[in-house]
């Protein structure tokens, strides 16, 4: 881990003056020009910095009226008698049934499956495009004892997908080479990573949580006779990747009915199907993929995909496996997260205590420590790696707090901030691996989409993350700004980008305009927060809460 810069008396890294204040330097750099447009005079930012550290200051820019409340749409015409009937037949409270109605789970059979999800209810993957080709390749790799390379993204879904694939293939006796992305190397599967895997002697490569858009690396391997299987769930571009098999529920021609799987979920399906195919071939008992459901649950919850249908089933049973603490890396991670040995595990533990720790190394640099932690084969090895990951997480929290404080100060100093439809802020002191968390903090404060950029003056570029608010599609907004960007991707709620530093001032206006066009004149903070109805205070008791849980 690289040494962290000291915090000076102003709270800025190294005690330097804020970037936006270096306006008297000649010649002006793209970074200083961009910062000037973003934040105005830094002296004003310094003046409000102490206030914005509290995040909630009445009268400050960014304060908005309280959100409007509204009953969830499906509940407006709810039939009370039907709710009571379903509650009696399901053996649960009426509040639980009402919540299911509010989320579109209205038929009795659907509600039964929602409350008691079974692995037997998982739909078979036969309709998933690319599946047959992938299984055939893996059967060949197993039969001919190929060395197989696996490359994954640096977030929790990427690391858990890589761990699922590598450890399951190893359990089948296949030799693997595992690699994960680094923030410095950027998102996705690069040609440099492809070359490194080829040099290691692999005869096939699998990518996890990336690869769908990585044409250059996949084509480089293809022309050298190394087939690739892409396991991904990101949006598919018009041009299909040159992979031997693409497993992505979003690709054209994929008939698998549920499109909400994350990459870890797709990897689980692949391993389960491979086991079935090899068992038919050999008649030999093979490792049970259900033992890998702890990793599937981690990837699913932390990637924030909807917890419905297949995802709900996988997470429900994955939580049981997490609670069994069989995997040394998961056990050590729970210990360092302060989870008691007898504490029941729910999705909150995964999303708020384990996930941030696993994400921390990849936010600051290479994600390899998280991969090594989850792949650890002994408790001693796992605890050593968990301690290292915990150190990264502590550093991540410090840097995150620093970025959010400074970003809020810069925005509060700009009188235009509370009039914009969307906000853009940046600095050359911020780590690009953490700006996404900072963007979420700004959205919470200003209640409008926020794009936070980490400037790199040495290379003349900026990398950033955007988070949405309400129903704004931030990926569509970035698409409208495409001429200003070198690369971007993501989904409607969150996205990332790389751009030339000199284009930042233009992006401030273009992104604001693109979001404003979507809003159609509406206040970006005017969002209706839906709820599931009112409860009499007397109805709130332990039995009701237990039933809801």
């Amino acid at each position: 881990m690289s040494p962290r810069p000291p915090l000076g008396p102003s709270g800025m890294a190294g005690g330097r003056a804020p970037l936006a204040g270096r306006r008297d330097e000649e010649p002006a750099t793209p970074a200083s020009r961009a910062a000037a447009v973003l934040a105005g005079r830094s002296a004003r930012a310094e003046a409000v910095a102490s206030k914005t550290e509290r995040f909630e200051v009445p009268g400050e820019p960014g304060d908005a009226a309280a959100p409007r409340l509204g009953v969830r749409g499906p509940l407006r015409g709810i039939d009370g008698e039907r709710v009571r009937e379903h509650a009696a037949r399901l053996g649960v409270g009426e509040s639980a049934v009402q919540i299911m109605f509010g989320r579109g789970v209205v038929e009795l059979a659907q509600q039964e499956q929602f409350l008691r999800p079974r692995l037997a209810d998982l739909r078979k993957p036969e309709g998933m495009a690319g599946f047959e080709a992938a299984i055939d390749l893996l059967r060949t790799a197993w039969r001919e004892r190929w060395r197989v390379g696996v490359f994954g993204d640096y977030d929790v879904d990427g690391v858990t997908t890589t761990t699922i694939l590598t450890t399951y293939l190893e359990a089948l006796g296949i030799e693997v080479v595992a690699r994960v992305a680094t923030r410095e190397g950027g998102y996705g599967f690069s040609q440099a990573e492809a070359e490194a895997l080829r040099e290691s002697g692999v005869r096939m490569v699998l990518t996890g949580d990336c690869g769908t858009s990585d044409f250059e690396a996949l084509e480089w391997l293809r022309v050298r006779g190394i087939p690739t299987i892409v396991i991904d769930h990101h949006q598919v571009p018009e041009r299909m990747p040159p992979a031997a098999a693409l497993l992505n529920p979003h690709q054209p021609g994929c008939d698998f009915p549920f499109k909400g799987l994350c990459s870890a979920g797709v990897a689980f399906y692949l391993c389960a199907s491979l086991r079935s195919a090899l068992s038919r071939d050999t008649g030999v008992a093979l490792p049970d993929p259900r033992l890998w459901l702890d990793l599937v649950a981690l990837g699913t919850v932390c990637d924030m995909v909807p917890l419905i249908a297949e995802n709900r089933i996988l997470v429900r049973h994955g939580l049981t496996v997490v609670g069994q603490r069989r995997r040394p890396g998961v056990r050590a991670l729970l210990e360092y997260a302060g989870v008691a040995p007898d504490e029941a595990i729910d999705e909150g533990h995964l999303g708020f205590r384990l996930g941030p720790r696993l994400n921390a190394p990849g936010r600051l640099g290479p994600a390899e420590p998280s991969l090594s932690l989850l792949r650890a084969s002994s408790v001693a090895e796992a605890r050593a790696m968990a301690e290292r990951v915990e150190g990264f997480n502590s550093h991540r929290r410090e840097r995150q707090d620093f970025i959010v404080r400074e970003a809020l100060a810069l925005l509060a100093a700009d009188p235009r901030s509370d009039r914009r439809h969307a906000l853009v802020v940046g600095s050359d002191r911020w780590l690009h691996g953490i700006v996404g968390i900072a963007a979420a903090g700004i959205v919470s404060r200003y209640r409008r989409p926020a794009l936070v950029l980490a400037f790199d003056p040495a290379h003349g570029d900026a990398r950033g993350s955007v988070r949405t608010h309400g129903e704004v599609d931030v990926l569509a907004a970035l698409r409208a700004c495409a001429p200003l960007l070198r690369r971007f991707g993501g989904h409607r709620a969150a996205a990332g980008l790389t751009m030339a530093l000199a284009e930042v001032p233009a992006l401030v206006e273009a992104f604001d305009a693109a979001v404003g066009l979507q809003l159609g004149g509406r206040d970006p903070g005017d969002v209706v927060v839906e709820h599931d109805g009112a409860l009499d205070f007397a109805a709130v008791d332990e039995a009701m809460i237990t039933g809801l849980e």
Side-chain angles (χ1 to χ4, degrees), residues 304-497:
M304 299 179 66
V305 290
L307 293 182
I308 58 174
E310 271 70 18
N311 285 342
R312 183 172 179 83
I313 297 170
L314 293 169
V315 170
R316 170 65 184 83
H317 291 273
L319 288 171
T320 299
V321 181
V322 173
Q324 292 168 349
R325 293 164 167 81
R326 295 181 180 178
R327 192 175 308 279
V330 171
R331 186 191 308 176
L333 198 59
L334 288 167
E335 290 174 0
Y336 271 87
V339 181
D342 58 348
E343 190 171 341
I345 304 297
D346 60 26
E347 70 279 4
H349 292 89
L350 274 57
F352 296 106
R353 298 173 77 169
L354 305 191
R357 287 171 165 81
L358 287 172
N359 263 330
R363 292 191 181 281
L364 300 171
E368 182 275 331
S370 295
L371 179 65
S372 296
L373 169 60
L374 293 182
R375 281 176 46 81
S377 58
S378 69
V379 173
E381 178 189 1
R383 283 177 175 154
M385 292 310 305
E387 182 177 8
R388 196 173 164 210
V389 166
E390 189 69 16
F392 278 104
N393 191 48
S394 297
H395 189 188
R396 186 269 307 168
R397 281 197 297 262
E398 293 174 7
R399 304 309 301 173
Q400 173 186 329
D401 292 345
F402 166 64
I403 293 173
V404 171
R405 283 198 305 270
E406 184 170 340
L408 288 175
L410 292 172
L411 289 168
D414 183 350
R416 296 163 297 178
S417 293
D418 59 348
R419 299 194 299 270
R420 290 193 180 277
H421 303 102
L423 302 171
V424 181
V425 66
S427 170
D428 66 350
R429 288 179 299 278
W430 301 346
L431 296 174
H432 61 82
I434 303 178
V435 293
I437 310 176
I442 293 169
V443 169
S444 177
R445 168 63 191 260
Y446 278 88
R447 302 227 306 274
R448 64 203 66 204
L451 169 57
V452 181
L453 295 163
F455 297 158
D456 183 357
H459 295 93
D461 59 23
R463 296 163 67 178
S465 293
V466 57
R467 297 293 184 269
T468 194
H469 182 259
E471 297 301 315
V472 173
D473 184 341
V474 293
L475 184 60
L478 290 183
R479 197 173 290 120
C481 305
L484 303 173
L485 308 176
R486 290 177 180 162
R487 186 180 182 188
F488 67 95
H491 47 82
R492 63 178 300 116
L497 63 90

Side-chain angles (χ1 to χ4, degrees), residues 505-537:
L507 180 68
V508 174
E509 306 303 329
F511 187 64
D512 182 30
V515 171
L517 193 61
Q518 287 190 42
L519 291 170
R522 290 180 288 114
D523 182 341
D526 185 19
V527 175
V528 175
V529 177
E530 293 186 324
H531 61 84
D532 295 287
L535 279 174
D536 291 332
F537 186 75

Side-chain angles (χ1 to χ4, degrees), residues 32-326:
S32 63
R33 287 197 301 271
V37 171
L38 293 174
R41 296 182 180 274
S42 64
R44 299 176 63 193
E46 293 283 356
V48 299
S50 61
K51 298 179 182 178
T52 56
E53 285 181 11
R54 291 175 290 168
F55 293 4
E56 295 295 336
V57 185
E60 289 291 331
D63 286 343
R68 293 183 292 119
L69 300 178
V71 175
R72 203 175 300 279
L75 290 171
R76 290 170 193 155
I78 191 169
D79 181 348
E81 181 58 35
R82 192 179 179 196
V83 169
R84 286 188 288 274
E85 178 190 347
H86 282 210
R89 295 184 65 177
L90 293 168
V92 298
E94 292 180 17
S95 297
V97 175
Q98 184 169 324
I99 287 174
M100 288 190 284
F101 270 103
R103 282 153 178 76
V105 184
V106 296
E107 300 300 329
L108 187 64
Q110 289 179 315
Q111 293 175 350
E112 174 71 33
Q113 183 176 341
F114 191 84
L115 291 172
R116 303 172 182 94
R118 302 181 307 153
L119 287 171
D121 293 326
L122 290 173
R123 286 167 284 192
K124 297 185 182 302
E126 278 81 359
M128 191 177 292
F131 225 81
E132 185 176 341
I135 294 297
D136 286 345
L137 271 171
L138 287 168
R139 287 165 73 185
T140 300
W142 179 80
R143 186 173 56 250
E144 300 185 7
R145 295 300 184 222
W146 287 358
R147 177 180 293 176
V148 175
V150 181
F151 178 86
D153 191 24
Y154 43 60
D155 67 359
V156 176
D157 190 24
V159 171
T160 52
T161 299
T162 304
T163 306
I164 292 166
L165 293 170
T166 56
T167 55
Y168 193 77
L169 293 178
E170 286 173 331
L172 294 176
I174 297 175
E175 183 182 0
V176 300
V177 177
R179 295 179 67 89
V180 280
T182 69
R183 286 282 172 174
E184 290 306 316
Y187 167 79
F189 183 45
S190 66
Q191 183 174 320
E193 292 290 351
E195 292 176 4
L197 286 171
R198 181 173 182 254
E199 289 174 4
S200 70
V202 304
R203 297 186 61 185
M204 181 171 67
V205 172
L206 285 71
T207 67
D209 200 35
C210 61
T212 298
S213 300
D214 298 319
F215 306 102
E216 182 182 4
L218 298 176
E219 179 64 15
W220 189 90
L221 289 170
R222 188 191 68 80
V223 300
R224 287 158 178 80
I226 300 177
T228 53
I229 300 174
V230 171
I231 297 102
D232 201 0
H233 71 119
H234 294 95
Q235 293 300 315
V236 180
E238 293 182 6
R239 177 186 172 196
M240 293 291 285
L246 170 64
L247 304 185
N248 186 325
H250 298 288
Q251 66 179 300
C254 182
D255 295 328
F256 189 71
F258 183 56
K259 306 300 182 182
L261 289 171
C262 68
S263 296
V266 177
F268 172 79
Y269 262 100
L270 181 62
C271 293
S273 298
L274 177 60
R275 182 212 192 200
S276 297
L278 293 178
S279 294
R280 286 193 301 268
D281 291 345
T282 65
V284 175
L286 296 170
D288 188 344
R290 289 177 294 183
L291 297 176
W292 278 259
L293 281 171
D294 54 346
L295 300 175
V296 179
L298 263 170
T300 301
V301 170
C302 295
D303 220 49
M304 299 179 66
V305 290
L307 293 182
I308 58 174
E310 271 70 18
N311 285 342
R312 183 172 179 83
I313 297 170
L314 293 169
V315 170
R316 170 65 184 83
H317 291 273
L319 288 171
T320 299
V321 181
V322 173
Q324 292 168 349
R325 293 164 167 81
R326 295 181 180 178

